[in-house]
Amino acid sequence: IAGITQAPTSQILAAGRRMTLRCTQDMRHNAMYWYRQDLGLGLRLIHYSNTAGTTGKGEVPDGYSVSRANTDDFPLTLASAVPSQTSVYFCASSDSTQGTDTQYFGPGTRLTVL
Amino acid sequence: GQNIDQPTEMTATEGAIVQINCTYQTSGFNGLFWYQQHAGEAPTFLSYNVLDGLEEKGRFSSFLSRSKGYSYLLLKELQMKDSASYLCAAMDSNYQLIWGAGTKLIIKP
């Protein structure tokens, strides 16, 4: 089934630990995004990639890094997790060649940092 | 700055009609999106408007006025499964989405 998968579904992490959230899409979309969603706030963009090999910073990039080695995968790494990074993380992708840039979302990863 | 405003919560009755409003301020404008998000799930795409006017898609319609920085989502013949959060997002000049905090819609029988 075409779409976006994320792993893990949920994770409890000790502060200071390193963590990589995985995201894979099979729609051959050129653009991919990482958002965090916190109660009472809109989705906030962490990092994005317009095409394989390129990445950019979003609204809240501090404490996070990404890579885009190929079209399908877009992992998000927390180098040293802090409690303020407790959130639900959504990966999304879009085909910007289609003009509307509609973004399609993965199921999310619920991360708790203690 | 860039900003999206939408009501935090609305309540409506099964079978009725509800209108969810959204106002936006962005640096440049490349369209207005509405997404539906059920509790604990991912946002799913509902509609996209880039020109002024009404777009109808089954029970859901979306309206845009670019001059007023205003959009609404109209839901007709409400069903219990429509209970969800509805997210408004505007695309700025860099083709980045600016998201509202979402409107939680509660449907009562």
Side-chain angles (χ1 to χ4, degrees):
Chain A
I1 298 177
I4 303 177
T5 58
Q6 292 184 236
T9 302
S10 65
Q11 182 75 43
I12 299 174
L13 190 65
R17 295 297 295 271
R18 180 184 180 89
M19 175 74 190
T20 295
L21 308 185
R22 299 184 299 277
C23 175
T24 299
Q25 55 107 355
D26 62 3
M27 296 178 284
R28 308 303 294 172
H29 285 173
N30 59 306
M32 297 187 75
Y33 313 84
W34 273 105
Y35 292 94
R36 59 177 291 172
Q37 187 175 41
D38 302 291
L39 200 63
L41 299 177
L43 287 161
R44 291 185 291 169
L45 184 65
I46 304 170
H47 285 286
Y48 65 93
S49 169
N50 288 329
T51 189
T54 69
T55 62
K57 294 181 180 180
E59 179 187 356
V60 289
D62 294 345
Y64 306 94
S65 63
V66 293
S67 62
R68 186 90 184 276
N70 57 60
T71 298
D72 298 344
D73 301 301
F74 191 43
L76 176 75
T77 297
L78 289 68
S80 179
V82 295
S84 62
Q85 292 177 311
T86 293
S87 188
V88 180
Y89 291 86
F90 287 104
C91 179
S93 71
S94 70
D95 181 356
S96 60
T97 64
Q98 295 301 307
T100 62
D101 279 348
T102 300
Q103 295 184 16
Y104 298 93
F105 286 79
T109 293
R110 184 174 297 273
L111 182 67
T112 303
V113 183
L114 301 175
Chain B
Q2 305 197 103
N3 192 52
I4 305 286
D5 283 317
Q6 54 181 129
T8 302
E9 187 174 296
M10 299 182 70
T11 301
T13 304
E14 188 177 16
I17 299 172
V18 71
Q19 178 175 311
I20 303 173
N21 296 323
C22 170
T23 57
Y24 63 89
Q25 286 181 302
T26 54
S27 302
F29 180 74
N30 283 296
L32 193 291
F33 292 79
W34 284 96
Y35 281 76
Q36 180 190 60
Q37 185 176 27
H38 285 101
E41 297 183 8
T44 57
F45 170 74
L46 286 178
S47 69
Y48 169 74
N49 295 68
V50 67
L51 300 177
D52 285 356
L54 188 69
E55 295 275 346
E56 297 186 75
K57 194 184 296 184
R59 294 189 299 114
F60 292 9
S61 302
S62 55
F63 172 83
L64 176 67
S65 169
R66 293 178 64 138
S67 63
K68 295 182 179 178
Y70 168 71
S71 173
Y72 67 73
L73 181 69
L74 190 72
L75 292 75
K76 303 176 184 176
E77 302 170 14
L78 286 170
Q79 301 175 10
M80 297 304 292
K81 68 179 181 179
D82 297 330
S83 292
S85 288
Y86 291 86
L87 314 181
C88 174
M91 183 166 281
D92 69 11
S93 58
N94 293 319
Y95 293 91
Q96 301 292 357
L97 283 177
I98 310 302
W99 294 83
T103 298
K104 183 178 181 180
L105 178 63
I106 299 168
I107 309 296
K108 294 186 175 180

